[in-house]
Amino acid sequence: WGTYWTLPATMSVAGSRLLHLNELLRQSSRTVVGVSSKIISRERYQSKLVVHKVSISCCSSVLQTFDKILIANRGEIACRVMKTCKKMGIKTVAVHSDVDSSAVHVKMADEAVCVGPAPTNKSYLNMDAILEAARQTGAQAVHPGYGFLSENKEFARRLAAHGVTFIGPDTHAIQAMGDKIESKLIAKKAKVNTIPGFDGVVKDAEEAVRIAGEIGYPVMIKASAGGGGKGMRIAWNDEETREGFRFSSQEAASSFGDDRLLIEKFIDNPRHIEIQVLADKHGNALWLNERECSIQRRNQKVVEEAPSTFLDPETRCAMGEQAVSLAKAVQYSSAGTVEFLVDSKKNFYFLEMNTRLQVEHPITECITGLDLVQQMIRVAKGYPLQHRQADIPINGWAIESRVYAEDPYKSFGLPSIGRLSQYQEPVNIPAVRVDSGIQEGSDISIYYDPMISKLVTYGSTRAEALQRMEEALDNYVIRGVTHNIPLLREIITHPRFVSGDISTKFLQEVYPEGFKGHQLSDSERWELLATAVALFVAAQLRSQRFLGNLSDELETCSHVCLPGNSLVCRFLQVDLDGKRVDVSSEWNLASALLPVTVNGTQRTVQCLSRSASGEIDLQYLGTSYKLRVLSKLAAALNKHMPEKVPEDTSSILRSPMPGSVVAVSVKAGDTVAEGQEICVIEAMKMQNSMTAAKTAKVRPYSSALSSL
């Protein structure tokens, strides 16, 4: 071929474009001294590029970025940024609230500074304290992560005034794209498809009703600032518009300090597909393919994947080009995400642009081979992009499940708090990535987002990625808090999801009566019962061995269990109403995970609890099932035991989650009707209306608003 190629030191061989040495020199903004390299040759072998040998050494000035970066965030995203910083040889500074003093991101950083008490407006949103932390530690740059101050133009401006680099776009782009009203106008000028709506600020609830009537129901009411599903409501009539305006404005003010709202046409039953963009300060911009984010609850994403099963190459290219056009229209420089709604005919409409690193960025990294945090740091330092559009691949398939401390049986996930008494990530499974910022013993509190981790699996095909996700969810151990793994596992194994037949209404359509957990088939029911019985027998046999009684004769439940000849009793035959079920396992009862084989089918179950009364709580196929296995004698005596009568809670207003009472809509002595709002609870940045379960009179109560 007569061409010699080399690799820049910042790029890995896998999934990267090979660059000519002269191109490497042109990309550097500094003078390069003493660059030496061994040559690699390019040859064709079955249409594949073969790299023979690579060795590069160059002076540190070529790749020099920052000596120290402060991460103005917490949890998993702070840890994620720190990992790349350490890889690049950059020291890190963590900021934390007083309740986060022992958090994982604090331990991971080279330095840590407390910036205030637990409430976010006094700590992670406290610009003065964070600026002072940067000054004290000598941090040269700040990475904001996502949420908090990541899209706050005033924060970026104040950092610049103090000579500290903001690792993100400039204030103009943040202002233009952070304001949904202005961003929509800019998108129209850039010839980006937009949703019909009112291009202005809605003043009050009555104006919202008038505008909604002009646009035509249904409409989407949403905060002009911010994102992440906060301050968003769908309204189908005038009353829902008034209520949506009230809640959206309150949530927007609480989350973003800006209560301005806009209204636009709600596109019913769409897909939510977003384009990752990457741009530098030299006018270069790329689109890094799409992410499918249609599985949502309360406008917040639950499961994402890349690429989308729905897009063809032409639509993907059109969406990517419009995303880049929008980025260039505001002179964008950093990683950002342009979100679209896509209808059944592949028509797509601009939704918003997030001027920050997106929560679900790992799946883009999996299919492109790019480290987006590293790219953001390079761009912030002034380096041009290393790649061209033709170099961006789609290699394989990646899926992300957001693991939350939530109760999935309540509105698909109401926040849960508690301490992680046992925690084990499934990182022993190949091609599994877990981005988390917690550990065993960590607290999930009311002050912050209830995310536990982002569980990511990768495969050469979608089927392979899905199979690994299923295995990873079964092997994920979380004890001490309620979590949404039952819902996640049901989603990724549902026939509609597997076939790619999804939309933003997936959860409501698949579970119209709410999520009820996995519904067992007959064969699965036999598997579960046989596993519980075998576990009961294995536990009793272990107890007998401790007592020195090695007899295989064992009185069990009313079903017959025949242990094998081995003292470890790996194989058991269980007779269930005349149906024989073979169960085998190592029966390590001290392990959180219990691999079992039932009639030749391999499963991983978790024994969440066992009691002396025979109660067993098993996590099977993601869902927790409470069973009771009794010996014949215990079963005969059990009928004489009194049953606990459930508490009558119809006259009690009980919050489904811990939080703060931010508004009370009634007073003592009022007669309220069934379904009438009593108060509003705020928890983990979301507001929830509490309603009466029946017609009743309100008793005297304390009028002070307080935490529950």
Side-chain angles (χ1 to χ4, degrees), residues 59 101 246 412 422 445:
C59 65
S101 59
R246 178 164 67 98
F412 299 111
Q422 193 171 6
S445 74

Side-chain angles (χ1 to χ4, degrees), residues 212-404:
E214 293 174 355
I215 296 172
Y217 288 110
V219 297
M220 171 71 81
I221 304 168
K222 61 183 180 180
S224 177
K230 307 295 192 301
M232 297 177 68
R233 290 291 190 281
I234 300 169
W236 295 81
N237 53 51
D238 290 354
E239 186 57 35
E240 289 184 3
T241 299
R242 292 187 181 93
E243 185 179 85
F245 182 91
R246 178 164 67 98
F247 283 126
S248 292
S249 59
Q250 291 172 356
E251 284 182 5
S254 174
S255 298
F256 317 118
D258 185 344
D259 64 357
R260 293 176 303 145
L261 301 177
L262 62 91
I263 298 180
E264 61 189 18
K265 180 70 176 176
F266 175 66
I267 299 177
D268 197 16
N269 214 34
R271 286 175 178 257
H272 185 134
I273 300 176
E274 61 191 26
I275 300 291
Q276 176 72 56
V277 296
L278 181 64
D280 62 23
K281 300 178 186 297
H282 304 275
N284 304 307
L286 305 171
W287 50 275
L288 308 181
N289 303 310
E290 80 279 5
R291 295 185 289 257
E292 171 83 62
C293 309
S294 297
I295 307 299
Q296 304 179 3
R297 51 97 177 95
R298 299 190 299 277
N299 299 308
Q300 293 179 309
K301 301 160 189 172
V302 180
V303 176
E304 303 101 343
E305 61 181 307
S308 168
T309 60
F310 189 62
L311 296 189
D312 52 54
E314 293 75 19
T315 308
R316 176 181 294 116
C317 184
M319 293 176 70
E321 288 175 351
Q322 286 198 17
V324 165
S325 176
L326 181 61
K328 289 184 175 181
V330 293
Q331 299 178 334
Y332 195 85
S333 60
S334 191
T337 299
V338 180
E339 300 189 348
F340 294 94
L341 291 181
V342 185
D343 67 19
S344 59
K345 297 181 180 179
K346 293 187 172 65
N347 298 310
F348 57 90
Y349 306 93
F350 170 69
L351 186 61
E352 64 182 9
M353 182 176 189
N354 293 320
T355 57
R356 54 169 167 80
L357 188 65
Q358 200 83 331
V359 177
E360 57 273 17
H361 75 274
I363 54 178
T364 294
E365 294 181 325
C366 286
I367 67 168
T368 62
L370 298 178
D371 182 329
L372 293 182
V373 174
Q374 182 182 29
Q375 296 301 317
M376 292 178 74
I377 294 172
R378 292 186 75 261
V379 168
K381 189 62 178 177
Y383 291 113
L385 298 181
Q386 297 171 294
H387 307 83
R388 296 171 182 166
Q389 190 61 59
D391 308 321
I392 306 303
I394 297 181
N395 289 330
W397 215 283
I399 298 171
E400 175 180 288
S401 293
R402 298 193 188 190
V403 181
Y404 282 104

Side-chain angles (χ1 to χ4, degrees), residues 41-336:
S41 65
R42 198 180 192 188
E43 67 178 54
R44 281 195 180 277
Y45 177 69
Q46 294 182 346
S47 301
K48 292 184 179 180
L49 183 66
V50 181
V51 178
H52 292 294
K53 197 171 187 180
V54 181
S55 176
I56 293 182
S57 62
C58 57
C59 65
S60 61
S61 62
V62 174
L63 303 174
Q64 183 179 356
T65 53
F66 303 100
D67 297 324
K68 186 182 292 186
I69 291 176
L70 182 147
I71 294 89
N73 217 299
R74 66 179 301 279
E76 66 85 12
I77 189 58
C79 296
R80 162 69 188 92
V81 174
M82 288 177 191
K83 288 176 183 177
T84 289
C85 288
K86 291 183 182 296
K87 182 177 70 175
M88 298 176 70
I90 301 171
K91 293 183 179 179
T92 57
V93 179
V95 295
H96 63 90
S97 65
D98 52 9
V99 298
D100 271 348
S101 59
S102 298
V104 173
H105 77 281
V106 174
K107 298 175 182 179
M108 184 179 292
D110 296 296
E111 301 174 63
V113 179
C114 182
V115 290
T120 56
N121 63 335
K122 296 179 181 179
S123 52
Y124 296 104
L125 292 174
N126 188 342
M127 286 189 237
D128 291 335
I130 294 174
L131 286 166
E132 178 60 21
R135 187 194 65 79
Q136 287 180 1
T137 58
Q140 300 165 319
V142 170
H143 196 299
Y146 56 75
F148 295 133
L149 297 170
S150 62
E151 296 178 280
N152 190 302
K153 64 180 185 298
E154 179 62 18
F155 182 56
R157 186 195 65 78
R158 292 184 64 179
L159 284 174
H162 284 75
V164 179
T165 301
F166 179 76
I167 301 178
D170 61 24
T171 55
H172 166 69
I174 297 174
Q175 163 69 32
M177 293 293 100
D179 187 313
K180 292 183 176 63
I181 297 171
E182 184 178 351
S183 67
K184 190 172 180 180
L185 295 174
I186 293 173
K188 284 184 177 180
K189 291 181 180 178
K191 301 188 183 305
V192 177
N193 304 342
T194 58
I195 301 171
F198 177 68
D199 298 328
V201 179
V202 183
K203 296 178 182 178
D204 53 41
E206 292 310 312
E207 184 180 36
V209 170
R210 179 182 61 80
I211 294 170
E214 293 174 355
I215 296 172
Y217 288 110
V219 297
M220 171 71 81
I221 304 168
K222 61 183 180 180
S224 177
K230 307 295 192 301
M232 297 177 68
R233 290 291 190 281
I234 300 169
W236 295 81
N237 53 51
D238 290 354
E239 186 57 35
E240 289 184 3
T241 299
R242 292 187 181 93
E243 185 179 85
F245 182 91
R246 178 164 67 98
F247 283 126
S248 292
S249 59
Q250 291 172 356
E251 284 182 5
S254 174
S255 298
F256 317 118
D258 185 344
D259 64 357
R260 293 176 303 145
L261 301 177
L262 62 91
I263 298 180
E264 61 189 18
K265 180 70 176 176
F266 175 66
I267 299 177
D268 197 16
N269 214 34
R271 286 175 178 257
H272 185 134
I273 300 176
E274 61 191 26
I275 300 291
Q276 176 72 56
V277 296
L278 181 64
D280 62 23
K281 300 178 186 297
H282 304 275
N284 304 307
L286 305 171
W287 50 275
L288 308 181
N289 303 310
E290 80 279 5
R291 295 185 289 257
E292 171 83 62
C293 309
S294 297
I295 307 299
Q296 304 179 3
R297 51 97 177 95
R298 299 190 299 277
N299 299 308
Q300 293 179 309
K301 301 160 189 172
V302 180
V303 176
E304 303 101 343
E305 61 181 307
S308 168
T309 60
F310 189 62
L311 296 189
D312 52 54
E314 293 75 19
T315 308
R316 176 181 294 116
C317 184
M319 293 176 70
E321 288 175 351
Q322 286 198 17
V324 165
S325 176
L326 181 61
K328 289 184 175 181
V330 293
Q331 299 178 334
Y332 195 85
S333 60
S334 191

Side-chain angles (χ1 to χ4, degrees), residues 396-444:
W397 215 283
I399 298 171
E400 175 180 288
S401 293
R402 298 193 188 190
V403 181
Y404 282 104
E406 291 182 338
D407 186 346
Y409 302 99
K410 297 178 180 178
S411 300
F412 299 111
L414 287 183
S416 166
I417 64 168
R419 177 167 294 174
L420 291 167
S421 58
Q422 193 171 6
Y423 184 73
Q424 183 178 316
E425 296 174 347
V427 291
N428 59 311
I429 301 172
V432 170
R433 166 177 168 176
V434 183
D435 282 13
S436 66
I438 48 90
Q439 61 187 1
E440 195 167 292
S442 292
D443 288 317
I444 307 296

Side-chain angles (χ1 to χ4, degrees), residues 380-683:
K381 189 62 178 177
Y383 291 113
L385 298 181
Q386 297 171 294
H387 307 83
R388 296 171 182 166
Q389 190 61 59
D391 308 321
I392 306 303
I394 297 181
N395 289 330
W397 215 283
I399 298 171
E400 175 180 288
S401 293
R402 298 193 188 190
V403 181
Y404 282 104
E406 291 182 338
D407 186 346
Y409 302 99
K410 297 178 180 178
S411 300
F412 299 111
L414 287 183
S416 166
I417 64 168
R419 177 167 294 174
L420 291 167
S421 58
Q422 193 171 6
Y423 184 73
Q424 183 178 316
E425 296 174 347
V427 291
N428 59 311
I429 301 172
V432 170
R433 166 177 168 176
V434 183
D435 282 13
S436 66
I438 48 90
Q439 61 187 1
E440 195 167 292
S442 292
D443 288 317
I444 307 296
S445 74
I446 65 171
Y447 298 107
Y448 312 116
D449 189 271
M451 179 181 285
I452 294 174
S453 73
K454 299 181 307 196
L455 177 63
V456 181
T457 57
Y458 174 81
S460 57
T461 63
R462 186 171 186 263
E464 187 177 332
L466 282 172
Q467 187 277 326
R468 284 179 175 151
M469 179 61 72
E470 184 178 341
E471 183 181 0
L473 289 169
D474 284 342
N475 284 269
Y476 207 146
V477 178
I478 304 173
R479 310 281 170 82
V481 298
T482 305
H483 54 76
N484 68 333
I485 282 180
L487 176 61
L488 295 173
R489 197 185 188 283
E490 283 301 289
I491 291 171
I492 61 108
T493 58
H494 195 278
R496 272 191 57 180
F497 184 85
V498 173
S499 67
D501 178 19
I502 60 176
S503 73
T504 56
K505 282 191 170 183
F506 178 86
L507 291 179
Q508 296 92 321
E509 292 174 350
V510 173
Y511 309 106
E513 303 300 321
F515 180 66
K516 306 297 183 183
H518 180 72
Q519 303 303 301
L520 295 170
S521 65
D522 288 342
S523 61
E524 290 169 346
R525 181 175 176 274
W526 293 126
E527 281 187 16
L528 176 61
L529 292 174
T531 301
V533 170
L535 181 62
F536 176 85
V537 172
Q540 289 208 341
L541 287 174
R542 185 181 67 166
S543 298
Q544 287 184 357
R545 287 197 296 273
F546 286 152
L547 296 174
N549 180 6
L550 300 181
S551 172
D552 277 348
E553 295 181 3
L554 176 70
E555 186 208 5
T556 62
C557 58
S558 58
H559 303 293
V560 180
C561 302
L562 304 173
N565 295 325
S566 172
L567 293 181
V568 294
C569 191
R570 293 182 181 177
F571 305 98
L572 295 169
Q573 294 173 0
V574 182
D575 185 88
L576 297 169
D577 296 332
K579 181 180 179 64
R580 172 177 159 175
V581 182
D582 295 327
V583 185
S584 63
S585 174
E586 294 294 331
W587 304 114
N588 180 0
L589 303 184
S591 173
L593 298 172
L594 189 64
V596 297
T597 301
V598 185
N599 282 348
T601 302
Q602 294 183 347
R603 304 285 191 192
T604 298
V605 301
Q606 297 185 34
C607 182
L608 304 181
S609 65
R610 286 187 297 115
S611 71
S613 61
E615 294 176 345
I616 300 177
D617 190 354
L618 285 181
Q619 183 175 308
Y620 169 75
L621 300 178
T623 295
S624 171
Y625 297 93
K626 297 184 183 300
L627 305 100
R628 197 171 188 189
V629 183
L630 299 174
S631 67
K632 289 182 179 179
L633 176 61
L637 295 175
N638 185 62
K639 62 183 179 181
H640 302 293
M641 298 295 292
E643 293 186 6
K644 184 178 179 180
V645 179
E647 178 187 7
D648 180 11
T649 60
S650 62
S651 299
I652 302 172
L653 184 66
R654 180 169 292 168
S655 175
M657 59 190 156
S660 298
V661 180
V662 296
V664 177
S665 307
V666 297
K667 61 182 183 295
D670 286 354
T671 298
V672 296
E674 181 181 349
Q676 182 177 335
E677 179 180 285
I678 305 298
C679 65
V680 177
I681 305 294
E682 183 175 74

